[in-house]
Amino acid sequence: MLGIDPGEDAIGPLASVEVSDGRGFDAADSGELVALVDSSYAATSAIAVGDTIDVAGSDVEVVGIVASTSDSADTAANVYLPLETAQELAGVEDVLSTVYVQADSASAIDSVQAALSDELPDATVSSQSDLASTVSGSLSSANEMITNLGTWLSIIVLAVAVMISVLFTISGVTRRTREFGTLKAIGWSNGRVVRQVAGESMVQGLIGGAAGLVLGLVGILLINVIQPTISAAAETPSGMGGPGGGMGGPTGGGGGGMFETAQATDIVLSAPLTPWVLFAAVGLAVLGGLVAGMFGGWRAARLSPAEALRSVA
């Protein structure tokens, strides 16, 4: 629930709603047991104009139903009460939590904010730019965290992929004991065996990288053709618009929330084609194959002709 000044609706929570049924507040409602109810909450709770709702043990008459002026936004509260009524029911007379202030022009915001800070040193005075900076800072921190997480996950996945490649290569070399033992028996040096296995593994890595490149290009093409869309909404100060924006600061209780959800924005997803990323992916695939081949070649070089003869027998 939210207590508000019934005579002021130019700024504040009521500036972003409109009456869909009944009537809104007027100055005569100050201290009266009347309320405005959000349309969604009214529908869910089967509340209509003229009904009474229980607030802190008192029967409060619903005089109006309000809805957000934005199709995809929520109102600041489910129930609005006149400020004096809310203070009396809460037992906190002459206490406020939020005061909304609107400057005459954008150029006057800084001076008004400074004056309010001087007059109310214990209050937090915030302008729209301050709130926007806070949101931007939070988004920047979240983006940095996601980037770092993605980097470490990529490193871990790459390391695991190389390890699996090494294990498969060593397993393949073990199955080819007869072949490599025979090659060593006819005079192949350890270095030549290592180069043979490493070369085979590198070619396999190149083939795998090329296949992954083709699949990646197909995926990018599909995303850019389908163009999937998501909706995103940002929280903005409720009722703090106007020629010069608005400011608000907590000074006690009975005011309520300062934010509402802004209208959602459709974001079309696309997958950019970055050549260096493609070359890096193929290069990593080849490098992984080469590393796996070096380990496999080292294992093959340790085989002796005697093992090959036992395998034939």
Side-chain angles (χ1 to χ4, degrees):
M1 295 190 184
L2 191 63
I4 57 177
D5 187 343
E8 296 292 339
D9 58 3
I11 60 174
L14 290 185
S16 58
V17 301
E18 59 183 4
V19 178
S20 59
D21 191 16
R23 65 174 180 84
F25 284 150
D26 55 41
D29 290 322
S30 181
E32 299 296 326
L33 292 174
V34 293
L36 299 178
V37 178
D38 171 64
S39 58
S40 298
Y41 178 73
T44 302
S45 304
I47 298 174
V49 173
D51 291 347
T52 58
I53 57 177
D54 180 77
V55 179
S58 298
D59 290 334
V60 178
E61 181 185 0
V62 177
V63 297
I65 306 295
V66 296
S68 172
T69 54
S70 174
D71 293 337
S72 56
D74 297 326
T75 57
N78 290 332
V79 178
Y80 300 89
L81 300 172
L83 180 57
E84 291 185 7
T85 303
Q87 291 173 331
E88 181 179 355
L89 293 177
V92 288
E93 295 184 6
D94 299 328
V95 176
L96 302 174
S97 68
T98 305
V99 177
Y100 295 88
V101 179
Q102 180 172 290
D104 292 333
S105 64
S107 60
I109 291 179
D110 291 338
S111 60
V112 173
Q113 185 175 3
L116 288 173
S117 298
D118 292 338
E119 292 294 330
L120 303 170
D122 295 331
T124 300
V125 182
S126 302
S127 66
Q128 282 183 316
S129 59
D130 294 333
L131 296 171
S133 298
T134 302
V135 174
S136 299
S138 299
L139 292 176
S140 177
S141 299
N143 180 67
E144 182 179 354
M145 181 182 68
I146 293 173
T147 300
N148 292 336
L149 178 62
T151 300
W152 282 109
L153 284 177
S154 299
I155 293 175
I156 293 173
V157 170
L158 179 61
V160 171
V162 172
M163 186 179 299
I164 292 175
S165 299
V166 170
L167 293 177
F168 274 118
T169 303
I170 292 177
S171 176
V173 168
T174 302
R175 291 194 300 269
R176 296 167 65 186
T177 298
R178 178 187 304 177
E179 175 186 345
F180 290 117
T182 303
L183 290 175
K184 293 193 68 177
I186 63 176
W188 276 39
S189 65
N190 290 342
R192 188 174 182 181
V193 172
V194 172
R195 289 193 297 272
Q196 173 67 24
V197 177
E200 292 177 0
S201 184
M202 187 173 64
V203 171
Q204 292 174 352
L206 180 61
I207 295 174
L213 179 62
V214 172
L215 291 176
L217 291 175
V218 171
I220 291 174
L221 179 62
L222 288 176
I223 292 176
N224 291 335
V225 170
I226 298 174
Q227 293 185 330
T229 302
I230 62 174
S231 295
E235 288 188 337
T236 55
S238 174
M240 297 180 71
M247 291 173 285
T251 59
M258 291 179 61
F259 293 91
E260 68 173 3
T261 304
Q263 185 171 358
T265 301
D266 290 335
I267 301 176
V268 179
L269 300 181
S270 62
L273 182 61
T274 308
W276 75 265
V277 173
L278 301 180
F279 286 116
V282 176
L284 287 174
V286 174
L287 180 61
L290 181 60
V291 172
M294 294 296 291
F295 278 96
W298 171 77
R299 173 70 178 83
R302 296 180 60 192
L303 297 176
S304 65
E307 291 184 59
L309 293 176
R310 284 198 299 270
S311 176
V312 171

